[in-house]
């Protein structure tokens, strides 16, 4: 049975956490005060799916999480709570995603406290700054590593597609050569005179 059949209307707030589906209007209307979504990225810059991956691919220095009200447009509702943190040089998709969920857990009491008030503080998003990543969006070249790029960019691409053994929703980083296509598990920057200065394994 669908979510609508499993819920009874009349509760105050509906929370959507780690949910990859858009909630129907029928489900959203069951909550008398509204619905709140946990998003694993800083809005409005990283709306949509796989925000930690895209932040790493894009070379961001900072990432974060957002609790926001659910509106018809995906990840566009008013912000209730947002937490930002620095991305480290060692972060992978796996570690950055884990840090997002840790920040979500840590910030949840502040979200509940805001919603318990009669008029929770809401901050409108500047949607002119919005970037939306969809389910079918993929890295350039289907994850193939472009050796015309600096070594640091190649390393970041490998880390961005490292899901720590969990399902990878985007693509594997890979090298294409005359001998075939080879998946890359990790990359390390090394000193030397040979381009591109990266050891791949």
């Amino acid at each position: 049975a669908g979510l609508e059949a499993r819920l009874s209307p009349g509760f105050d707030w509906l929370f959507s956490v780690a949910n990859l589906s858009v909630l129907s209007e029928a489900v959203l209307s069951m909550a008398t005060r509204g619905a709140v979504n946990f998003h694993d990225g800083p809005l409005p810059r990283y709306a949509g799916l796989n925000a930690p991956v895209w932040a790493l691919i894009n070379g961001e220095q900072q990432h974060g999480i957002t609790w926001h009200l659910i509106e018809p447009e995906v990840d566009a509702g008013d912000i209730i709570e947002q937490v930002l943190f620095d991305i480290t040089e060692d972060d992978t998709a796996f570690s950055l995603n884990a840090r997002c969920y840790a920040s979500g857990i840590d910030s949840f009491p502040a979200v509940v406290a805001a919603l318990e008030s009669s008029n929770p503080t809401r901050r409108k998003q500047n949607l002119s700054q919005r970037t939306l990543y969809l389910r079918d969006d993929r890295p350039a070249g289907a994850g193939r590593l472009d050796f015309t790029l600096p070594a640091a960019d190649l390393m970041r691409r490998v880390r961005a597609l490292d899901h720590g053994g969990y399902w990878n929703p985007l693509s594997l980083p890979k090298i294409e050569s005359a001998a075939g296509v080879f998946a890359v598990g990790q990359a390390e920057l090394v000193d030397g005179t040979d381009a591109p200065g990266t050891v791949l394994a």
Side-chain angles (χ1 to χ4, degrees), residues 25 53 94 118 174 177 182:
E25 182 59 39
V53 174
F94 175 76
S118 59
K174 57 189 73 75
S177 72
F182 301 93

Side-chain angles (χ1 to χ4, degrees), residues 78-177:
D78 292 355
I79 294 171
I80 300 295
E81 181 75 10
Q82 189 168 70
V83 177
L84 302 176
F85 50 82
D86 291 337
I87 294 175
T88 73
E89 291 185 2
D90 297 323
D91 267 322
T92 63
F94 175 76
S95 68
L96 193 54
N97 201 37
R99 293 175 65 201
C100 286
Y101 281 101
S103 290
I105 292 168
D106 290 345
S107 60
F108 187 67
V111 173
V112 171
L115 297 179
E116 285 178 334
S117 70
S118 59
N119 188 22
T121 301
R122 303 162 54 146
R123 178 166 53 94
K124 289 212 170 295
Q125 295 188 48
N126 179 355
L127 298 181
S128 71
Q129 302 298 312
R130 175 180 162 91
T131 303
L132 176 65
Y133 292 94
L134 302 175
R135 186 184 305 271
D136 293 335
D137 287 341
R138 296 292 182 269
R144 287 175 175 82
L145 299 178
D146 177 357
F147 286 97
T148 65
L149 296 174
D153 290 359
L154 298 177
M155 289 178 49
R156 189 175 64 245
R157 173 69 58 97
V158 172
R159 290 196 322 271
L161 297 173
D162 178 356
H163 288 79
Y166 287 88
W167 174 66
N168 182 328
L170 294 172
S171 64
L172 292 172
K174 57 189 73 75
I175 298 171
E176 186 172 10
S177 72

Side-chain angles (χ1 to χ4, degrees), residues 10-23:
F11 49 86
D12 289 338
W13 291 99
L14 174 67
F15 287 89
S16 177
V17 180
N19 173 30
L20 298 179
S21 300
V22 175
L23 296 174

